[in-house]
């Protein structure tokens, strides 16, 4: 047994970046209520999402939580960006769909190899571009509940992006980011530790897969407020980037053993390979190495720094996003090996 969870929690507590329990609980409840309100109208057909969740082994409360978290965090970023109150519900709906789409996409790619092949045939970079432009009709069903729900979710998300605004520069940035995320997802599933080295290219691919998605929520706010104050727009983008880096850190710490067993790369495994030395044999041994070699402590301190930087932005432009994100990080702490 390692002390990874207590180590990371102690570093964050010492840095003063943990929400008090009552505030954390309130933020989580607010996100859940937002998700529960959205589920019946997320795609117009709640049964489509429910059937997909059942086929993936995902409980309905998880659907609600993921949608609600996407709504809540997008709302916080929209407030940072200065998005008008009239546009925020539209922005948040798109953000909630995106958050759920990322989770379903990762789940299919990581755990269902045959379905991942079907997904990659149906959802391609060209598919994303055409639907973002509105030049392609809704896709035909594949017969797989999860693939069909995810395809419908992506199509609806891109349609809502078109409705948020027509700023060509912001649409181009959003399209570029979607493409980068798609490529990174494909690269990460294909790149194995036994046939690659811990190169900068591997690191960048990991970052695009894990750290970039949350910045998409900030992009949605910018679509809806193209004439907003430059400082506020910059605060939203900076917060998205910092949050993306933070979630990358804590997510990969939580999944060390699973990533090792699957033969893939992650942040701590990349750092461990760069240190040289003996190769751990089992997932439990690799976890022990990450703690004993100081990698876990260094990652915890990087995580604390990102949260402190988010709080500094919040001091100037509002705390809704950082509090939502702190609650997210604290939920991830519960997933760390104890």
């Amino acid at each position: 047994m390692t002390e990874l969870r207590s180590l990371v929690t102690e570093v964050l507590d010492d840095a003063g970046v943990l929400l008090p329990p009552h505030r954390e609980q309130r933020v989580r409840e607010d996100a859940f209520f937002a998700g529960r309100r959205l589920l019946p109208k997320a795609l117009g057909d709640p049964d489509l999402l429910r059937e997909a969740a059942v086929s993936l082994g995902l409980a309905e409360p998880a659907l609600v939580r993921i949608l609600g978290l996407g709504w809540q965090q997008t709302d916080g970023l929209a407030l940072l960006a200065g998005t008008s109150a009239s546009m925020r519900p539209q922005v948040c709906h798109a953000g909630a769909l995106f958050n759920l789409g990322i989770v379903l996409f990762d789940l299919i790619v990581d755990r269902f190899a045959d379905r991942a092949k079907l997904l990659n045939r149906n959802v391609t970079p060209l598919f994303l571009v055409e639907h973002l432009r509105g030049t392609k009709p809704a896709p035909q069903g594949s017969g797989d509940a999860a693939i069909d729900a995810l395809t419908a979710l992506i199509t609806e998300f891109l349609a809502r992006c078109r409705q948020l605004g027509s700023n060509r520069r912001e649409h181009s940035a959003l399209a570029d980011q979607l493409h980068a995320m798609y490529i990174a997802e494909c690269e990460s599933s294909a790149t194995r530790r036994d046939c690659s080295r811990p190169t900068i290219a591997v690191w960048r691919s990991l970052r695009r897969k894990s750290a970039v998605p949350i910045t998409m929520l900030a992009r949605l706010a910018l679509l809806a407020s193209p004439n907003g104050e430059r400082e506020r727009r910059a605060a939203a983008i900076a917060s998205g980037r910092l949050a993306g880096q933070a979630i990358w850190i804590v997510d990969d710490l939580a999944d060390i053993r699973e990533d090792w067993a699957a033969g893939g790369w992650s942040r701590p495994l990349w750092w461990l390979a760069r240190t040289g030395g003996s190769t751990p044999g089992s997932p439990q041994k690799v976890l022990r190495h990450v703690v004993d070699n100081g990698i876990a402590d260094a990652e915890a301190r990087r995580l604390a720094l990102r949260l402190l930087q988010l709080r500094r932005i919040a001091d100037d432009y509002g705390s809704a996003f950082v509090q939502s994100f702190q609650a997210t990080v604290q939920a991830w702490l519960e997933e760390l090996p104890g």
Side-chain angles (χ1 to χ4, degrees):
M1 187 67 71
T2 68
E3 63 277 9
L4 179 60
R5 187 189 309 149
S6 59
L7 184 157
V8 176
T9 302
E10 183 177 351
V11 168
L12 298 186
D13 192 29
D14 288 346
V17 294
L18 294 178
L19 289 176
H22 71 280
R23 168 54 60 182
E24 178 192 0
Q25 182 64 25
R26 177 61 184 271
V27 172
R28 289 199 200 188
E29 288 175 353
D30 287 348
F32 192 83
F33 292 150
R36 191 165 63 184
R37 288 193 302 269
L38 182 59
L39 180 60
K41 56 184 179 180
L43 286 180
D45 181 2
D47 290 337
L48 188 63
L49 283 177
R50 291 186 175 112
E51 290 172 11
V54 169
S55 76
L56 294 172
L58 196 64
E60 184 169 321
L63 280 181
V64 171
R65 185 170 58 253
I66 295 163
L67 282 169
L69 184 60
W71 180 288
Q72 186 183 65
Q73 292 188 351
T74 307
D75 195 36
L77 289 165
L79 286 167
L80 287 176
T83 304
S84 67
S86 62
M87 290 296 294
R88 273 178 26 219
Q90 299 175 57
V91 173
C92 294
H93 194 137
L97 293 181
F98 177 79
N99 199 50
L100 180 58
I102 286 294
V103 172
L104 296 183
F105 199 105
D106 284 348
L107 187 59
I108 291 169
V109 170
D110 291 344
R111 300 187 186 178
F112 301 90
D114 290 340
R115 298 167 104 174
K117 293 175 183 176
L118 178 59
L119 175 61
N120 289 333
R121 287 198 298 270
N122 287 11
V123 179
T124 65
L126 180 60
F127 172 98
L128 298 175
V129 170
E130 289 178 333
H131 281 281
L132 184 58
R133 292 174 179 168
T135 59
K136 193 171 182 65
Q140 297 295 316
S142 69
D144 183 291
I147 302 300
D148 290 346
L150 179 54
T151 304
L153 193 153
I154 293 171
T155 304
E156 176 68 12
F157 165 72
L158 295 173
R160 286 181 173 274
C161 288
R162 292 197 308 273
Q163 296 164 10
L164 287 177
S166 57
N167 184 288
R168 183 174 297 179
R169 184 184 64 181
E170 295 300 343
H171 271 284
S172 177
L174 187 142
D176 289 345
Q177 193 160 322
L178 282 172
H179 184 260
M181 289 164 48
Y182 181 90
I183 296 301
E185 187 69 58
C186 295
E187 288 176 347
S188 67
S189 61
T191 304
R192 312 284 295 178
R193 290 195 318 275
D194 57 3
C195 57
S196 62
R197 295 177 58 78
T199 62
I200 296 301
V202 167
W203 178 265
R204 289 173 177 165
S205 179
L206 291 170
R207 178 179 58 80
R208 287 193 298 269
K209 176 181 182 292
S210 300
V212 170
I214 200 167
T215 65
M216 182 64 72
L217 305 184
R219 289 278 174 209
L220 297 176
L222 299 194
L223 273 179
S225 52
N227 300 314
E229 295 177 19
R230 183 170 60 182
E231 292 80 6
R232 297 193 71 91
R233 289 163 59 84
I237 288 295
S239 293
R241 287 174 177 162
L242 289 167
Q245 294 166 15
I247 208 67
W248 179 21
I249 292 169
V250 70
D251 186 359
D252 279 10
L253 284 175
D255 292 341
I256 290 175
R257 292 179 297 195
E258 292 79 2
D259 289 334
W260 178 265
W265 284 106
S266 69
R267 277 185 66 110
L269 299 181
W270 191 92
W271 285 118
L272 186 61
R274 298 278 285 196
T275 64
S278 59
T279 302
S282 68
Q284 195 60 34
K285 286 183 178 178
V286 77
L287 181 57
R288 183 76 262 166
H289 274 59
V290 164
V291 172
D292 291 347
N293 289 8
I295 293 169
D297 182 75
E299 288 286 80
R301 294 183 188 283
R302 293 183 186 105
L303 175 58
L305 177 60
R306 301 303 184 273
L307 292 173
L308 286 169
Q309 290 170 315
L310 280 170
R311 278 221 317 229
R312 292 187 192 111
I313 295 174
D315 288 341
D316 292 328
Y317 298 105
S319 61
F321 174 71
V322 69
Q323 290 196 7
S324 172
F325 189 71
Q326 283 175 292
T328 299
V329 169
Q330 286 171 229
W332 270 108
L333 293 181
E334 298 171 7
E335 303 300 319
L336 296 179

